[in-house]
Amino acid sequence: MDARDTAIINQLQGGFPITERPYAEVAKTLEITEKELIERLENLLAKGILSRFGPMYHAERLGGGLTLAALHVADEGFDRVAEQVNRFPEVAHNYQREHHLNMWFVLATETPARIDEVLAEIEQKTGCRVYNVPKIEEFFVGLRFEL
Amino acid sequence: MGLTARDQQLVAAIQSGLPLVSRPFADIGARIGLSENETIERIQALLTDGTIKRLGVVVRHHELGYRANAMTVWNIPDDQVDELGRRIGAVDFVTLCYRRPRHLPDWPYNLFAMIHGQNRTAVLHNIESLIERCGLKTIQHEVLFSRRRFKQCGARYIDASPRQPAEGRMHSQSGGPP
């Protein structure tokens, strides 16, 4: 990562032009060539610094379901339960956190009804009670990092 | 819901990422039988109506040196949660802020705010500043630091391709004091 990569990430966290030659447009504001921009993006994706370059969808508007849920897992069984949970293709993120409720995962499903079904399956498979905390209201969605 | 079959195809075609080619929208259009112009128009429409929240890069914060991330949770009286949620969400280092349901008696917290930082000290300092700036001194809260990330992949809403096997990646989150 050098200063140019940083500039690219800062610029593209804010959005992307929907035009015929969008990379050329972005490259121009960054004072690099289109080819260099594309190569640097390929490289940042290959290195795993960027997880994706594309859309962030509003799940509910697509007719999908989205939620955050938590489990309390005993320390000795933690890795086993993590594997059981991660095996569900609907689980998009999973974090171990420092709390009695120590496993927190995001579930994204093709329909809202699938949320309850998958959570019930997770409960059954892991033997842990699931705390489902779907969003009621969103106050901010930025998730961008000034580098 | 409101998506046409064509828009569903479009959403599926770009969900894993935009093609890294000079004319990405021509490329996407060709895959689903739309012209470049139609593709651009439909994507713009999906952005305008909020189906696509934004288009751009999604960073792996851990790889960028944001090694500490804390989910802060707050037990805010119901009649103040909108006002305080807006105030907390407007603070620059808060990256996500949601109202969520309580599960009494185990879980009394109804507001979640995500705070990232280079290390734990920086995150804790930000939380102190948040309490000060938003008047949260009397609000019960907890800080849930992440210890390990097991999985981070883009949510997939429309199944357009064969399912990939679930990832078993584990990243240990070292770098901060215990």
Side-chain angles (χ1 to χ4, degrees):
Chain A
M1 281 263 295
D2 60 16
R4 272 192 186 170
D5 287 331
T6 304
I8 290 169
I9 293 173
N10 279 336
Q11 175 85 18
L12 291 182
Q13 284 185 95
F16 190 64
I18 316 298
T19 55
E20 285 180 16
R21 299 278 303 274
Y23 296 105
E25 248 177 72
V26 173
K28 204 172 163 193
T29 66
L30 294 169
E31 298 179 324
I32 57 176
T33 64
E34 180 187 36
K35 183 164 173 285
E36 182 177 359
L37 174 62
I38 288 176
E39 282 171 2
R40 281 176 178 268
L41 281 170
E42 278 167 355
N43 181 41
L44 290 167
L45 284 161
K47 279 197 194 143
I49 290 168
L50 301 180
S51 68
R52 228 148 47 78
F53 174 62
M56 293 189 56
Y57 291 119
H58 189 299
E60 294 85 347
R61 268 213 205 134
L62 287 182
L66 187 70
T67 199
L68 174 69
L71 303 177
H72 164 67
V73 187
D75 281 346
E76 58 276 13
F78 198 92
D79 287 353
R80 180 180 49 83
V81 172
E83 248 174 63
Q84 289 172 335
V85 170
N86 293 347
R87 210 168 287 141
F88 285 85
E90 294 89 353
V91 172
H93 308 184
N94 190 2
Y95 281 86
Q96 180 178 18
R97 294 193 178 275
E98 292 171 9
H99 191 269
H100 180 72
L101 292 179
N102 52 357
M103 184 182 294
W104 290 80
F105 54 92
V106 169
L107 210 61
T109 58
E110 287 177 32
T111 63
R114 270 298 282 163
I115 292 282
D116 285 346
E117 289 169 18
V118 175
L119 291 179
E121 286 167 35
I122 288 175
E123 231 167 31
Q124 204 193 1
K125 183 132 294 188
T126 62
C128 303
R129 177 180 164 190
V130 171
Y131 292 78
N132 182 22
V133 287
K135 115 183 140 186
I136 297 173
E137 197 175 340
E138 178 171 325
F139 294 106
F140 181 80
V141 57
L143 201 62
R144 50 182 299 176
F145 299 93
E146 282 305 324
L147 303 177
Chain B
M1 275 199 12
L3 279 195
T4 62
R6 194 35 76 71
D7 282 349
Q8 284 206 19
Q9 282 183 307
L10 182 57
V11 162
I14 60 174
Q15 70 182 344
S16 56
L18 289 182
L20 293 165
V21 296
S22 185
R23 295 172 67 175
F25 302 113
D27 187 285
I28 293 158
R31 283 189 237 161
I32 57 171
L34 288 181
S35 71
E36 183 179 32
N37 266 342
E38 288 170 319
T39 307
I40 286 173
E41 267 171 35
R42 286 315 308 155
I43 291 180
Q44 259 159 358
L46 293 171
L47 273 162
T48 305
D49 75 15
T51 303
I52 300 175
K53 289 202 268 194
R54 77 181 173 83
L55 204 65
V57 297
V58 182
V59 300
R60 282 224 170 88
H61 40 80
H62 185 76
E63 279 72 2
L64 283 171
Y66 287 81
R67 280 162 203 280
N69 89 70
M71 187 171 79
T72 64
V73 294
W74 308 81
N75 176 8
I76 301 181
D78 288 342
D79 61 348
Q80 294 173 40
V81 69
D82 276 351
E83 165 63 24
L84 286 179
R86 271 193 294 275
R87 228 187 280 170
I88 293 169
V91 172
D92 50 5
F93 52 74
V94 173
T95 48
L96 291 169
C97 185
Y98 294 112
R99 182 179 181 186
R100 299 180 182 279
R102 300 182 171 94
H103 286 274
L104 297 172
D106 305 6
W107 185 258
Y109 305 106
N110 60 341
L111 194 90
F112 290 53
M114 192 64 72
I115 296 171
H116 290 266
Q118 316 276 1
N119 54 50
R120 286 188 180 215
T121 311
V123 171
L124 287 170
H125 178 82
N126 284 344
I127 294 168
E128 282 313 306
S129 149
L130 183 71
I131 289 170
E132 192 72 33
R133 281 158 73 175
C134 297
L136 304 171
K137 278 208 175 73
T138 61
I139 306 284
Q140 178 193 9
H141 78 279
E142 287 194 78
V143 178
L144 282 72
F145 275 107
S146 71
R147 195 177 286 169
R148 276 188 291 174
R149 181 183 80 200
F150 292 99
K151 198 172 178 184
Q152 185 187 24
C153 55
R156 305 185 73 85
Y157 301 108
I158 293 185
D159 202 0
S161 54
R163 278 257 153 80
Q164 294 173 344
E167 293 172 72
R169 277 186 294 116
M170 288 219 226
H171 295 263
S172 82
Q173 290 212 311
S174 53

